[in-house]
Amino acid sequence: MKRPGRPFGVAIAIAAGVFLFALLPLLQVGMALTVRQHFLNAASSDDTFAPLASGADFIGGVSTGQLALQSVLALAFLVVAVVTWRGRPPQMRFIYVGAVVLLTAIKFAAVLAQSAARPDVQAGVSSGDDLARTLTLGQFVIEFLVMLYVVWYLNRAPARAFFRGYFLPRPPDTAPPEATPSAAQVER
């Protein structure tokens, strides 16, 4: 028997997960590190240059440890997604769904913590804080919708057959759909 091919819905589920849970976080880390490095170089490149904003936090209070954790989670998810793309072993369907649900739950906790935290007046308040909060909430909504799609589609029969590696045989007591008589044929 021929191995089932990868359904288009599985490809969409994996691609959306890779974009939201691996590429986007890695881009955020890269951007934060680039901004940090830029300001460190600007302050130390010329002794005659007096920086306008020394001592300020240009990446929004994100520590190096948080950036490292975000990078590790994104890279681990990328590895899980690559193995899931292959479709073997069959348990990767459950591992992928679990990883998507776990990362969405972590994002939900981060959104709750961010919305519950009061702005620190000592650190300064700007209109960018509200924008960042709105963008984080919007990103969470998209991640939640992707999570629902991944859970729904990877539990459908075509996806289960792809990860299992074979189609289930038809039960012997049921006839194929084209062999069942219609209501008009039964009345005759």
Side-chain angles (χ1 to χ4, degrees), residues 5-181:
R6 181 182 307 103
F8 185 63
V10 171
I12 290 173
I14 294 172
V18 165
F19 178 74
L20 283 176
F21 299 111
L23 296 181
L24 190 60
L26 288 174
L27 285 172
Q28 291 169 345
V29 168
M31 184 63 77
L33 292 177
T34 302
V35 168
R36 178 184 287 173
Q37 190 62 36
H38 173 74
F39 282 106
L40 286 175
N41 288 342
S44 65
S45 66
D46 188 11
D47 291 336
T48 61
F49 173 71
L52 291 173
S54 67
D57 182 17
F58 294 103
I59 59 170
V62 179
S63 69
T64 305
Q66 290 172 328
L67 292 175
L69 178 65
Q70 184 170 339
S71 298
V72 167
L73 287 174
L75 291 173
F77 184 82
L78 193 58
V79 169
V80 168
V82 166
V83 176
T84 303
W85 183 264
R86 285 188 51 230
R88 293 183 205 115
Q91 295 83 8
M92 288 311 296
R93 176 173 70 105
F94 300 112
I95 293 171
Y96 185 76
V97 169
V100 168
V101 170
L102 176 69
L103 290 175
T104 304
I106 289 171
K107 183 67 166 196
F108 179 67
V111 167
L112 280 180
Q114 183 183 22
S115 64
R118 300 184 124 202
D120 185 16
V121 179
Q122 298 291 338
V125 179
S126 71
S127 60
D129 296 338
D130 287 335
L131 178 64
R133 189 173 295 120
T134 303
L135 290 175
T136 303
L137 184 61
Q139 183 181 351
F140 168 71
V141 168
I142 292 171
E143 286 179 8
F144 184 75
L145 292 173
V146 167
M147 181 209 57
L148 289 177
Y149 177 76
V150 166
V151 169
W152 170 72
Y153 196 85
L154 291 186
N155 284 311
R156 294 190 69 224
R160 289 192 316 255
F162 168 70
F163 286 104
R164 188 184 317 116
Y166 59 89
F167 292 107
L168 292 177
R170 185 176 302 279
D173 60 341
T174 61
E178 60 273 355
T180 55

